């Protein structure tokens, strides 16, 4: 097999023997990780997947039946921009960095490793879901997400191997050694250590946690370190499908729940094998709050340093802002002082995590509006909502304190008393799990979710997306 078939790429890998050797050494370790930690029980099946074979509009959306271990994980960067410049921060307007600037080396490596760690983590979290798929269409979407997260790992490992020498290679190895949820060698970020063992979790995860990925990648797509910017731009095209899976998945669950509510005189969907809206709301509360943590502290000197260095910009930095230096200006956010919530003004650059989080929240709200429209369309009056950003946080200003869903500061005892109403309980999770029985006949769907309005890439819902 030639090099391009082993490692498809548009980075002239064949001309860089050192990098080629390093990646070829890493490849079997990746495959053995995929074998151990990738989707369990379906490795030999034909799955109708899209594969990136180039970054052009035709190339990256190539659809065919593939066995997952034979998926062509490749290295694809958006084409380089001639005369690319650092787009923000203290070095604004200077030529973009083609190599890692020595003074930013540690910061950049940390950014890339943290992003890279999330990719295999989510595959690990989702590895058992295939056994309980609600339809072949959903099973295929799960595997599509999984193989693309595998490719995202490749994307970050390429940067580590290509630009960070020895310690980059060590970090690339460590990415295959940590394990989601393992107390001895956990993944770096907490959302990626949470179990994702039923399909309601999966949809909420791809809606809220993959969407954090969109905002992190968008901020890094602005980076003055050009290889990182070009890598992230291409990853974003894949990420869109992951969020589609989550957003439409939840929408379909909500729709089905609404239909079942209308069928039962007491609106009791449990009696009809559906998922009650209260449980859906709790899953939203859980994954939204964990995903908010991924943006980091509200007041952050790291965010200021990364921005000053031109490494991590704001969301749509070039399109949305005129002042790319952002050295002046301030931002007001709520902090807890003497047991009370009070406003505090901080320098703009120290509030960039919070500003990015705000963009993310706005985006999530659009999803909620779509799901609420599904409720309205079915004639149900109840509505779903996002909890306040202070609710159930483990990182930043609000960690270690307690807030209700509206963001009011409350005592720990009150939180403990009410948390079973706000967050999934063991019984809720068991109930949801009890509904998860695989439906694998083409065109059939589980009772607790509505079918999608269309299939994938022009194929009907009845298409045999996975040959079992
Ligand atoms: Fe990803
Ligand atoms: Fe993703």
């Amino acid at each position: 097999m030639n090099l391009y078939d082993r490692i498809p790429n548009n980075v002239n890998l064949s001309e860089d023997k050192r990098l080629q050797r390093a990646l070829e050494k890493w490849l079997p370790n990746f495959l053995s990780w995929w074998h151990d930690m990738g989707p369990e029980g379906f490795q030999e099946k034909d799955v109708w997947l899209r594969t990136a074979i180039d970054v052009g509009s035709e190339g990256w959306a190539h659809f065919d039946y593939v066995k997952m271990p034979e998926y062509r994980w490749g290295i694809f960067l958006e084409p380089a921009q001639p005369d690319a410049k650092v787009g923000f921060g203290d070095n604004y307007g200077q030529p973009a960095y083609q190599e890692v600037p020595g003074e930013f080396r540690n910061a950049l490596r940390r950014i890339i490793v943290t992003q890279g760690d999330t990719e295999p983590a989510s595959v690990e979290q989702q590895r058992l879901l295939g056994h309980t798929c609600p339809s072949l269409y959903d099973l295929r979407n799960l595997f599509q997400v999984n193989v693309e997260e595998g490719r995202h790992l490749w994307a970050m490992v390429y940067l580590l191997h290509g630009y960070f020498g020895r310690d980059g290679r060590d970090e690339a190895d460590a990415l295959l050694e940590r394990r989601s949820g393992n107390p001895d060698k956990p993944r770096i970020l907490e959302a990626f250590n949470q179990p994702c063992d039923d399909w309601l979790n999966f949809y909420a995860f791809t809606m809220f946690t993959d969407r954090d990925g969109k905002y992190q990648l968008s901020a890094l797509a602005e980076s003055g370190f050009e290889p990182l910017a070009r890598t992230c731009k291409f990853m974003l095209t894949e990420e869109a499908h992951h969020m589609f899976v989550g957003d439409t998945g939840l929408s379909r669950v909500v729709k089905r729940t609404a239909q079942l509510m209308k069928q039962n005189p007491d609106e009791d969907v449990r009696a009809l094998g559906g998922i009650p809206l209260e449980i859906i709301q709790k899953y939203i509360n859980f994954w939204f709050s964990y995903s908010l943590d991924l943006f980091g502290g509200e007041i952050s000197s790291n965010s200021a340093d990364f921005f000053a260095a031109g490494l991590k910009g704001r969301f749509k930095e070039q399109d949305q802002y005129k002042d790319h230096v952002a050295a002046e200006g301030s931002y007001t956010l709520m902090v807890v002082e003497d047991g009370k919530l009070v406003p505090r003004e901080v320098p703009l650059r120290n509030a960039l995590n919070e500003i990015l989080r705000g963009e993310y929240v706005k985006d999530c709200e659009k999803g909620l509006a779509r799901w609420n429209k599904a409720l309205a369309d079915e004639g149900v009056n109840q509505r779903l909502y996002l909890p306040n950003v202070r609710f159930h946080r483990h990182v930043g200003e609000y960690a270690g304190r307690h807030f209700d869903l509206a963001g009011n500061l409350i005592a720990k005892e009150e939180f403990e008393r009410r948390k079973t109403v706000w967050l999934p309980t063991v019984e809720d999770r068991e109930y949801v799990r009890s509904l998860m029985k695989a439906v694998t006949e083409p065109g059939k769907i589980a009772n607790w979710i509505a079918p999608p309005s269309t299939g994938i890439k022009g194929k009907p819902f009845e298409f045999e997306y996975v040959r079992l």
Side-chain angles (χ1 to χ4, degrees):
M1 211 196 262
N2 67 27
L3 173 66
Y4 188 85
D5 286 332
R6 287 194 309 275
I7 309 176
N9 69 88
N10 68 351
V11 294
N12 282 334
L13 191 54
S14 59
E15 283 164 28
D16 186 339
K17 292 296 170 207
R18 191 193 57 79
L19 178 58
Q20 188 186 322
R21 267 197 304 277
L23 288 171
E24 292 201 276
K25 237 179 112 185
W26 189 79
L27 171 63
N29 297 338
F30 169 80
L31 287 175
S32 98
W33 166 81
W34 178 269
H35 182 264
D36 294 347
M37 297 312 296
E40 191 197 85
F42 297 88
Q43 302 276 356
E44 293 311 309
K45 304 297 179 199
D46 285 320
V47 187
W48 201 65
L49 293 175
R50 79 173 175 192
T51 303
I53 50 172
D54 188 15
V55 294
S57 58
E58 284 300 295
W60 76 274
H62 177 84
F63 284 76
D64 207 348
Y65 281 108
V66 183
K67 292 182 181 37
M68 285 183 276
E70 291 161 21
Y71 185 80
R72 287 147 52 91
W73 284 283
I75 300 165
F76 296 101
L77 277 62
E78 288 283 305
Q81 301 273 353
D83 314 320
K85 301 270 192 288
V86 177
F88 55 89
D90 294 345
N91 298 328
Y92 174 61
Q94 292 180 20
Y97 321 129
Q98 299 301 332
E99 291 295 330
V100 178
E103 66 271 41
F104 307 145
R105 187 185 167 85
N106 287 343
L108 251 182
R109 193 182 57 209
R110 183 167 152 205
I111 289 171
I112 292 168
V113 166
T114 307
Q115 178 61 43
D117 193 66
T118 67
E119 317 289 357
S122 66
V123 174
E124 293 166 359
Q125 285 167 293
Q126 297 162 15
R127 67 187 291 262
L128 299 177
L129 287 172
H131 296 302
T132 55
C133 64
S135 73
L136 282 187
Y137 164 92
D138 290 281
L139 185 62
R140 177 258 168 220
N141 284 347
L142 167 70
F143 295 155
Q144 184 72 58
V145 171
N146 291 160
V147 293
E148 286 177 352
E149 301 304 6
R151 207 202 66 76
H152 290 177
L153 172 60
W154 272 91
M156 294 296 121
V157 162
Y158 159 73
L159 294 173
L160 290 170
H161 274 163
Y163 294 90
F164 291 88
R166 173 81 199 256
D167 41 340
R169 290 196 292 280
D170 291 345
E171 293 284 10
D173 290 342
L175 286 171
L176 296 177
E177 284 156 14
R178 288 185 286 273
R179 290 287 181 271
S180 174
N182 184 315
D184 299 324
K185 41 177 186 177
R187 291 295 174 182
I188 296 170
L189 299 167
E190 270 322 295
F192 293 88
N193 287 311
Q194 302 302 318
C196 188
D197 49 3
D198 67 58
W199 281 75
L200 188 58
N201 272 325
F202 174 62
Y203 297 131
F205 182 94
T206 40
M207 169 71 194
F208 292 112
T209 309
D210 280 82
R211 193 173 305 274
D212 155 74
K214 168 184 165 181
Y215 283 83
Q216 302 305 330
L217 292 173
S218 298
L220 296 176
E222 304 283 342
S223 184
F225 178 48
E226 225 215 347
L228 176 62
R230 291 166 55 204
T231 303
C232 290
K233 279 180 195 150
F234 185 64
M235 289 164 77
L236 278 166
T237 61
E238 292 166 316
E239 209 59 66
H241 175 70
H242 308 179
M243 290 176 290
F244 162 85
V245 169
D247 189 351
T248 57
L250 270 169
S251 198
R252 290 159 52 210
V253 176
V254 168
K255 180 178 175 181
R256 183 64 183 149
T257 295
Q259 290 169 346
L260 293 172
M261 284 168 79
K262 287 284 139 191
Q263 282 174 27
N264 185 288
D266 305 322
E267 297 202 335
D268 176 12
V269 300
R270 280 176 194 255
L272 299 172
I275 303 179
L277 281 182
E278 295 72 32
I279 293 187
I280 298 173
Q281 182 65 55
K282 289 180 184 182
Y283 275 60
I284 293 172
N285 298 345
F286 180 88
W287 284 107
F288 179 66
S289 55
Y290 265 113
S291 303
L292 290 173
D293 283 340
L294 298 172
F295 289 82
E298 280 68 16
I299 304 170
S300 165
S301 57
N302 272 338
S303 84
D305 293 346
F306 293 168
F307 187 86
L311 301 181
K312 185 175 176 185
R314 288 170 289 187
F315 183 62
K316 297 191 172 159
E317 176 72 42
Q318 297 313 315
D319 301 343
Q320 221 180 179
Y321 296 94
K322 285 210 175 66
D323 167 21
H324 297 297
V325 179
E328 280 143 42
S330 61
Y331 187 89
T332 303
L333 44 79
M334 300 303 282
V335 298
V336 179
E337 259 172 36
D338 302 329
K340 273 209 276 308
L341 270 172
V342 293
R344 184 188 294 167
E345 204 174 298
V346 300
L348 189 57
R349 282 185 178 185
N350 290 72
L352 294 179
N353 287 346
E354 182 62 5
I355 291 169
L356 192 61
R357 188 168 14 240
E359 299 276 1
Y360 166 82
V361 173
K362 272 194 282 176
D363 200 11
C364 291
E365 274 164 0
K366 291 182 198 156
L368 267 293
R370 283 188 287 271
W371 308 339
N372 283 332
K373 181 167 183 307
L375 288 174
D377 288 349
E378 299 294 333
V380 166
N381 293 328
Q382 261 170 279
R383 294 292 177 263
L384 297 162
Y385 50 87
L386 293 177
N388 184 276
V389 292
R390 294 188 283 275
F391 173 75
H392 190 236
R393 292 287 302 281
H394 301 82
V395 170
E397 280 300 302
Y398 313 122
R401 320 215 183 240
H402 298 86
F403 298 88
D404 65 13
L405 289 179
N408 300 307
L409 192 60
I410 56 174
K412 181 171 193 270
E413 295 69 37
E414 190 182 351
F415 182 87
E416 293 298 326
R417 205 167 52 240
R418 295 170 71 186
K419 74 176 180 195
T420 57
V421 185
W422 294 336
L423 293 165
T425 61
V426 174
E427 293 76 34
D428 294 332
R429 292 179 185 279
E430 274 170 8
Y431 175 70
V432 172
R433 262 203 301 275
S434 77
L435 301 178
M436 301 289 134
K437 306 241 161 58
V439 176
T440 55
E441 211 178 305
K444 291 275 160 56
I445 185 121
N447 177 54
W448 53 268
I449 184 169
S453 50
T454 52
I456 294 290
K457 188 73 178 170
K459 300 287 185 205
F461 173 63
E462 297 76 25
F463 182 69
E464 193 176 12
Y465 289 101
V466 185
R467 290 180 180 146
L468 295 175

